[in-house]
């Protein structure tokens, strides 16, 4: 063998991937949606078109939202705040490349496009690095994601402006900690195992489902989202020794008399009864899901508010089951997109509550954010 043939492989070469079994949560999942980066934010369009008369003067207090262009809840909030002359600006993960932005570290001001603004309230929702339109396998893409991840985290945790969902990152607590904390306040939770061998796990000893430990959406390519929805555990497809490439949750399946989605907004608990045939139906066949408004029992609302206080959440969506006379906690979602539930139930209760809460919190914070507190610029 010549020296050339015996040399080590170049660092840029990639070996052929091993043939591995398809992970359980990717088996049979055909949910796919493209999330366009088209801006629909009312205030952004009006300001960019020069249709708003602006008076020169002090920095303008604003609500700062970190999300993505398709966040319809925030598009609706922008319009609602505009009706009360409250400025809202967006940094969207899928539109953040080449964004004219300067954030001052020694004073709570930002330059955004041509405007000097003073954020008083920040809300981080769908600001995920997988949505940034770069290839993370390249040096350029890895660099861009790293910078935005660091700056996004810093913006979310700065202590010189307030934030919606004031926990450590604004992104809520992980699903397993949620279960532990819910049990600690007296709620029933399904028995759960975390495993790379789901075929060997039977928490509760009977029928089980497999769930993701992370997000319900996978975005390997920016703007192209695939669902990771709960699936019944099928021993015939997994086998006792079949291993997953990453841990999944195997959870006791409970026959429910009722399923609720409860949105907590400030001190309010707003409930919807959800009727569906299987856990994935909400995404794969949403038109067949029946949603109706429902009163939240006082004791249940009290426990959910207790959890929100523990997790420092102002706006959150809880998924719950009623099994007999017990309420079972499944999970809480801090992004908690509510417009779909409202549309199915012909209700605007959550939107109204969110708009009122944000407006009231903004007025309270803006009144205390005097020019003297901002420092000189």
């Amino acid at each position: 063998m010549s020296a050339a043939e015996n040399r080590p492989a170049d660092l840029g070469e990639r070996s052929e991937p091993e043939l591995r079994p398809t992970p359980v949560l990717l088996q049979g999942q055909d949910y796919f949606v493209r999330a366009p980066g088209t801006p629909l934010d009312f205030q952004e369009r009006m300001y960019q078109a020069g249709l708003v008369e602006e008076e020169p003067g002090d920095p303008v207090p604003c609500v700062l939202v970190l999300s993505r262009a398709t966040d319809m809840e925030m598009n609706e909030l922008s319009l609602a705040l505009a009706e009360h002359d409250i400025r809202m600006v967006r940094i969207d993960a899928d539109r953040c490349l080449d964004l004219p932005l300067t954030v001052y570290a020694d004073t709570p001001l930002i330059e955004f496009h041509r405007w000097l603004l003073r954020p008083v309230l920040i809300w981080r929702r769908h600001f995920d690095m997988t949505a940034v339109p770069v290839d993370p396998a390249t040096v350029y893409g890895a660099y861009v994601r790293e910078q935005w991840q660091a700056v996004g985290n810093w913006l979310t945790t700065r202590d010189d402006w307030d934030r919606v969902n004031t926990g450590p990152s604004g992104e809520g607590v992980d699903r397993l900690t949620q279960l532990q904390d819910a049990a600690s306040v007296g709620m029933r939770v399904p028995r759960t195992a975390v495993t790379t061998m789901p075929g060997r796990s039977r928490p509760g000893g009977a029928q089980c489902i497999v769930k993701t430990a992370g997000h319900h959406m996978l975005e390997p390519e920016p703007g192209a989202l695939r669902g990771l929805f709960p699936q019944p555990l099928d021993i015939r497809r997994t086998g006792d020794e079949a291993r997953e490439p990453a841990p999944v949750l195997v959870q006791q399946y409970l026959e429910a008399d009722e399923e609720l989605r409860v949105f907590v907004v400030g001190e309010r608990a707003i409930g919807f009864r959800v009727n569906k045939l299987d856990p994935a139906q909400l995404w794969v066949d949403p038109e067949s899901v029946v949603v109706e408004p429902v009163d939240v029992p006082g004791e249940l609302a009290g426990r959910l508010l207790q959890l929100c206080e523990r997790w420092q959440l102002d706006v959150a969506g809880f998924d719950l089951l009623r099994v007999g006379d017990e309420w079972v906690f499944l999970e809480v979602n801090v992004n908690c997109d509510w417009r779909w539930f409202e549309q199915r139930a012909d209700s605007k209760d959550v939107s109204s509550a969110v708009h009122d809460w944000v407006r009231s919190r903004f007025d309270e914070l803006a009144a205390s954010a005097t020019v003297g507190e901002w420092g000189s610029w």
Side-chain angles (χ1 to χ4, degrees):
M1 181 181 291
S2 69
E5 293 173 323
N6 199 31
R7 72 181 187 278
D10 293 336
L11 292 177
E13 292 181 5
R14 297 183 182 179
S15 60
E16 289 295 322
E18 296 182 36
L19 293 178
R20 296 178 178 271
T22 303
V24 171
L25 290 176
L26 295 179
Q27 295 175 11
Q29 295 281 20
D30 55 3
Y31 179 86
F32 174 80
V33 62
R34 284 207 172 269
T38 306
L40 299 175
D41 188 284
F42 172 79
Q43 291 200 35
E44 178 176 327
R45 289 188 166 196
M46 294 300 101
Y47 277 93
Q48 293 288 7
L51 300 178
V52 180
E53 291 188 13
E54 300 176 78
E55 296 291 335
D58 294 327
V60 176
C62 73
V63 175
L64 177 61
V65 170
L66 276 63
S67 192
R68 63 187 304 160
T70 54
D71 189 343
M72 297 303 295
E73 278 71 14
M74 293 299 96
N75 291 340
E76 190 175 51
L77 177 63
S78 175
L79 179 59
L81 294 181
E83 294 174 351
H84 295 271
D85 295 322
I86 296 175
R87 184 71 191 277
M88 184 179 121
V89 296
R90 297 271 287 270
I91 300 176
D92 290 331
D94 47 353
R95 300 189 300 129
C96 64
L97 298 185
D98 305 316
L99 182 69
L101 172 71
T102 300
V103 184
Y104 293 92
D106 56 350
T107 189
L109 301 177
I110 67 172
E111 283 185 79
F112 183 80
H113 292 274
R114 64 177 184 274
W115 301 288
L116 181 63
L117 304 165
R118 196 300 192 202
V120 296
L121 183 65
I122 186 169
W123 195 347
R124 179 173 181 164
R125 282 173 50 85
H126 298 289
F127 193 74
D128 299 319
M129 292 303 97
T130 51
V132 179
V134 294
D135 181 357
T138 65
V139 174
Y140 174 84
Y143 166 80
V144 170
R145 283 194 177 185
E146 179 68 20
Q147 303 310 305
W148 273 113
Q149 179 72 33
V151 172
N153 289 345
W154 172 62
L155 285 170
T156 309
T157 56
R158 279 186 66 164
D159 59 6
D160 45 9
W161 48 56
D162 204 63
R163 58 188 183 268
V164 182
N165 296 334
T166 54
S169 68
E171 297 182 309
V173 294
D174 66 86
R175 195 163 287 127
L176 293 160
T177 302
Q178 292 175 19
L179 294 170
Q180 291 178 316
D181 289 351
S184 74
V185 301
M187 297 196 71
R188 181 179 173 184
V189 299
R191 295 192 61 183
T192 304
V194 183
T195 180
T196 58
M197 295 182 289
R200 299 183 62 182
S201 300
R202 278 290 186 275
Q207 188 178 0
C208 295
I209 61 173
V210 183
K211 299 172 64 173
T212 173
H215 294 304
H216 288 298
M217 291 289 186
L218 193 65
E219 193 169 2
E221 173 192 344
L225 289 84
R226 298 183 182 275
L228 294 177
F229 307 130
Q231 293 198 32
L233 179 62
D234 187 346
I235 282 291
R236 293 170 302 175
R237 298 176 70 176
T238 58
D240 286 346
E241 299 301 328
R243 299 189 183 184
E244 291 288 297
V248 293
L249 305 187
V250 178
Q251 198 164 71
Q252 176 188 17
Y253 177 80
L254 297 170
E255 286 286 352
D257 300 297
E258 187 177 13
E259 179 175 345
L260 288 192
R261 163 62 70 97
V262 178
F263 294 96
V264 173
V265 183
E267 296 298 318
R268 294 187 59 187
I270 303 166
F272 296 93
R273 181 182 291 113
V274 181
N275 296 311
K276 63 180 191 285
L277 298 176
D278 64 70
Q281 190 177 359
L282 195 67
W283 298 279
V284 299
D285 189 15
E287 293 304 312
S288 65
V289 179
V290 177
V291 180
E292 55 186 337
V294 64
D295 292 333
V296 181
E299 182 181 358
L300 174 60
R303 290 181 177 178
L304 300 184
L305 289 170
Q306 186 179 351
L307 288 172
C308 283
E309 183 178 3
R310 172 178 295 195
W311 296 329
Q312 298 177 280
L313 299 179
D314 305 299
V315 181
F318 288 83
D319 290 326
L320 306 144
L321 301 177
R322 183 174 64 81
V323 179
D325 58 357
E326 288 185 299
W327 287 104
V328 181
F329 172 93
L330 297 180
E331 64 180 76
V332 64
N333 187 329
V334 298
N335 289 332
C336 64
D337 297 332
W338 55 84
R339 291 180 74 251
W340 183 86
F341 291 89
E342 288 186 329
Q343 290 167 355
R344 299 296 297 174
D346 192 24
S347 168
K348 295 290 289 182
D349 289 349
V350 183
S351 292
S352 297
V354 170
H355 300 168
D356 290 345
W357 186 90
V358 172
R359 185 173 67 251
S360 297
R361 188 66 181 135
F362 175 88
D363 289 342
E364 177 186 346
L365 294 167
S368 64
T370 64
V371 176
E373 290 174 319
W374 299 349
S376 59
W377 178 81

